[in-house]
């Protein structure tokens, strides 16, 4: 059983051009690898997840995908090293979606985030017809902020004491990309 959507109809994978890197829709057999990924300290630090996420939490997420969203993973030489997706809003906000992305701690700075975000933006623009992509990022995550700016995301606001992380409150930025 496959969860999510094929990024490109008729093709189950698309190599974005980075050595040994492929992008595909998330699948149910990714359960263990996804759980291991989200429990990595660096991956988790950029999210609101608590430590030690159980496999059951990941399973519920896999079994209940957003029908109007997209969830993809990055693999390098068969190893799952990144996950990204967006969830489309409903009703009068159906033109917008919320983006989430994360990369394996050992693969930061290797083009994985760029490949994943590039696929999301392409799908949002050319397959889903979305006008607006939104995200929240910790204000001290300079690498992620630079990645988002590369794809025309702009800062829209500052959320003070947004999340409790590593024993202290951390600020976050709201960012959005508007398709013109």
């Amino acid at each position: 059983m496959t969860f999510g959507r094929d990024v490109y109809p008729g093709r189950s994978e698309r190599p974005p051009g980075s050595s040994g890197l492929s992008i595909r829709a998330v699948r149910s057999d990714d359960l263990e690898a996804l759980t291991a990924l989200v429990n990595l300290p660096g991956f988790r630090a950029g999210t609101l997840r608590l430590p030690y996420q159980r496999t059951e939490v990941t399973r519920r997420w896999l079994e209940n995908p957003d029908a109007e969203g997209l969830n993809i993973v990055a693999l390098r030489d068969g190893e799952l090293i990144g996950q990204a997706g967006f969830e489309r809003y409903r009703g009068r906000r159906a033109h917008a979606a919320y983006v989430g992305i994360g990369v394996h701690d050992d693969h930061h700075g290797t083009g994985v985030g760029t490949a994943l975000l590039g696929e999301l933006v392409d799908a949002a623009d050319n397959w889903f017809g979305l006008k607006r992509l939104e995200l929240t990022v910790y204000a001290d995550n300079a690498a992620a902020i630079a990645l988002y700016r590369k794809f025309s995301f702009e800062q829209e606001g500052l959320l003070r004491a947004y999340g409790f992380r590593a024993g202290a409150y951390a600020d976050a930025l709201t960012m959005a990309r508007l398709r013109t």
Side-chain angles (χ1 to χ4, degrees):
M1 180 175 205
T2 300
F3 295 99
R5 302 175 182 272
D6 285 339
V7 177
Y8 295 88
R11 294 163 55 180
S12 61
E13 279 190 18
R14 179 180 179 185
S18 194
S19 177
L21 185 69
S22 62
I23 307 288
R24 65 163 169 75
V26 68
R27 301 188 308 225
S28 59
D29 62 349
D30 293 326
L31 175 65
E32 295 295 331
L34 277 170
T35 302
L37 180 69
V38 302
N39 279 306
L40 292 171
F43 186 105
R44 185 180 61 244
T47 73
L48 291 173
R49 286 184 171 87
L50 296 173
Y52 309 109
Q53 179 171 306
R54 295 183 352 239
T55 304
E56 245 344 277
V57 174
T58 308
R59 183 186 323 278
R60 281 194 302 273
W61 176 79
L62 281 170
E63 291 174 348
N64 297 297
D66 177 6
E68 295 295 320
L70 178 68
N71 287 299
I72 58 176
V73 292
L75 297 100
R76 179 165 281 141
D77 301 323
E79 178 189 3
L80 197 148
I81 59 168
Q83 182 273 327
F86 60 72
E87 292 185 17
R88 189 176 201 157
Y89 295 111
R90 308 281 185 262
R92 291 169 47 175
R93 297 223 57 229
H95 66 289
Y98 185 82
V99 173
I101 184 171
V103 174
H104 190 290
D105 294 12
D106 295 338
H107 293 270
H108 289 183
T110 65
V112 177
T114 298
L116 284 167
L117 192 54
E119 294 295 322
L120 288 183
V121 167
D122 178 68
D125 289 353
N126 298 309
W127 294 93
F128 289 80
L130 294 171
K131 174 77 172 168
R132 179 180 170 87
L133 293 176
E134 304 172 348
L135 58 85
T136 304
V137 58
Y138 283 114
D140 61 358
N141 192 342
I145 293 166
L147 171 64
Y148 303 140
R149 286 189 174 137
K150 183 173 18 173
F151 284 91
S152 301
F153 282 80
E154 296 178 10
Q155 181 178 334
E156 293 187 329
L158 171 67
L159 303 170
R160 295 180 17 221
Y162 174 75
F164 192 70
R165 180 186 64 179
Y169 289 99
D171 295 345
L173 306 177
T174 59
M175 298 182 79
R177 174 189 180 272
L178 294 176
R179 185 171 49 114
T180 53

